[in-house]
């Protein structure tokens, strides 16, 4: 599971497009946080996005510490105990068995870069379109994803899968071969090699 997304929420494509969010005043934690960050910037506040597992947040660094806010809950400040409860609900059981007080918060409260924010937004859309089997829209998202994360072998692999669903066999073959060149020792390498053989056969039938 990818903890840098908000797919645990009931979301729809419109909630991930900022123009729709502004027009409808409805969004997911990530898009509402982006609006929050921009408004804060115009007010002179040094707000930072926080790519918290399962739920994007915003923080304001103060002299005495930092204030963590949840734009999805009308900007409500989040206590350390509330944040640990959030972590316990999404992290693997073995990481939370030691108790909430033992969960470190700082690694999860680092400021997200603009590239990381865009990638998280694209992952949400990728998940939505994949679950709906809207492969053409999923593929369009993947083109943008690889502009943001050109070195990601996993995103290249997934674009290959979407190409295959659309019966675009040659581009799918190129992407999956590229994935194995980058990650030849990946846990799913055997399955990907099997797909590559299928794609080679499909390409041969096209000639």
């Amino acid at each position: 599971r990818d903890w840098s997304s908000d797919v645990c929420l009931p979301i729809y494509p419109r909630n991930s497009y900022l123009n729709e969010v502004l027009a409808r005043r409805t969004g997911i934690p990530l898009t509402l946080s982006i609006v929050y960050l921009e408004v804060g910037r115009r007010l002179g506040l040094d707000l930072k996005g926080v790519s918290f597992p399962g739920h994007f947040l915003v923080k304001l660094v103060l002299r005495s510490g930092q204030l963590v806010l949840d734009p999805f809950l009308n900007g409500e400040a989040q206590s350390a105990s509330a944040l640990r409860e959030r972590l316990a609900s999404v992290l693997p059981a073995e990481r939370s068995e030691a108790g909430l007080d033992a969960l470190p918060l700082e690694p999860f409260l680092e400021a997200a870069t603009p590239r990381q924010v865009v990638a998280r937004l694209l992952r949400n859309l990728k998940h939505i379109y994949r679950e709906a089997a809207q492969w053409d829209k999923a593929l369009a998202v993947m083109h943008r994803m690889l502009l943001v994360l050109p070195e990601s072998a996993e995103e290249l692999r997934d674009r290959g899968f979407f190409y295959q669903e659309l019966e675009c066999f040659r581009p799918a073959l190129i992407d999956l071969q590229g994935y194995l060149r980058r990650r030849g020792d990946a846990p799913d390498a055997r399955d990907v090699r099997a797909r590559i053989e299928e794609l080679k056969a499909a390409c041969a039938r096209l000639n």
Side-chain angles (χ1 to χ4, degrees):
R1 181 173 176 178
D2 182 1
W3 305 111
S4 62
S5 67
D6 301 286
V7 298
C8 58
L9 295 167
I11 54 179
Y12 306 94
R14 296 178 71 184
N15 293 340
S16 292
Y17 290 99
L18 284 175
N19 60 318
E20 293 276 2
V21 170
L22 291 172
R24 298 168 59 240
R25 299 185 179 184
T26 300
I28 57 175
L30 177 54
T31 48
L32 293 176
S33 292
I34 292 172
V35 174
Y36 210 85
L37 289 168
E38 182 59 23
V39 171
R41 185 186 68 81
R42 296 188 181 193
L43 292 173
L45 297 175
D46 187 23
L47 296 174
K48 304 292 185 183
V50 176
S51 196
F52 204 75
H55 195 99
F56 202 86
L57 299 167
V58 169
K59 72 176 181 179
L60 176 63
V61 178
L62 305 170
R63 290 183 179 178
S64 58
Q66 59 187 9
L67 186 64
V68 181
L69 310 170
D70 186 352
F72 192 70
L73 296 178
N74 299 315
E76 182 179 300
Q78 302 297 293
S79 66
S81 60
L83 291 171
R84 287 192 172 92
E85 287 179 5
R86 286 182 186 270
L87 278 179
S89 68
V90 295
L91 291 179
E94 61 270 17
R95 294 195 61 179
S96 57
E97 284 176 350
L100 294 181
D101 292 339
L103 287 174
L105 289 177
E106 286 307 313
F108 300 101
L109 294 176
E110 294 182 0
T113 66
R115 187 180 295 268
Q116 289 170 334
V117 173
V118 173
R120 182 159 176 160
L121 187 60
L122 289 171
R123 286 193 185 99
N124 285 337
L125 286 168
K126 170 187 172 183
H127 172 80
I128 294 168
Y129 291 135
R130 179 175 57 197
E131 291 299 301
Q134 293 180 300
W135 305 116
D136 54 339
K137 293 181 179 179
L139 182 61
V141 169
M142 295 310 299
H143 291 328
R144 291 166 175 79
M145 180 74 83
L146 284 165
L147 290 174
V148 176
L149 301 173
E151 302 304 318
S152 174
E154 287 72 23
E155 301 299 351
L156 183 66
R157 174 201 62 198
D158 289 354
R159 187 176 70 172
F161 291 165
F162 297 159
Y163 268 131
Q164 187 175 16
E165 292 289 346
L166 290 166
E167 298 185 357
C168 299
F169 301 129
R170 289 192 179 93
L173 178 60
I174 291 170
D175 278 356
L176 295 187
Q177 288 175 328
Y179 170 66
L180 287 185
R181 281 195 296 273
R182 298 182 187 186
R183 294 286 309 278
D185 59 347
D188 63 348
R190 182 175 180 179
D191 293 336
V192 172
R193 289 191 181 95
R195 281 187 183 247
I196 286 174
E197 293 306 313
E198 293 174 5
L199 289 167
K200 286 180 178 178
C203 288
R205 290 194 295 269
L206 295 176
N207 294 331

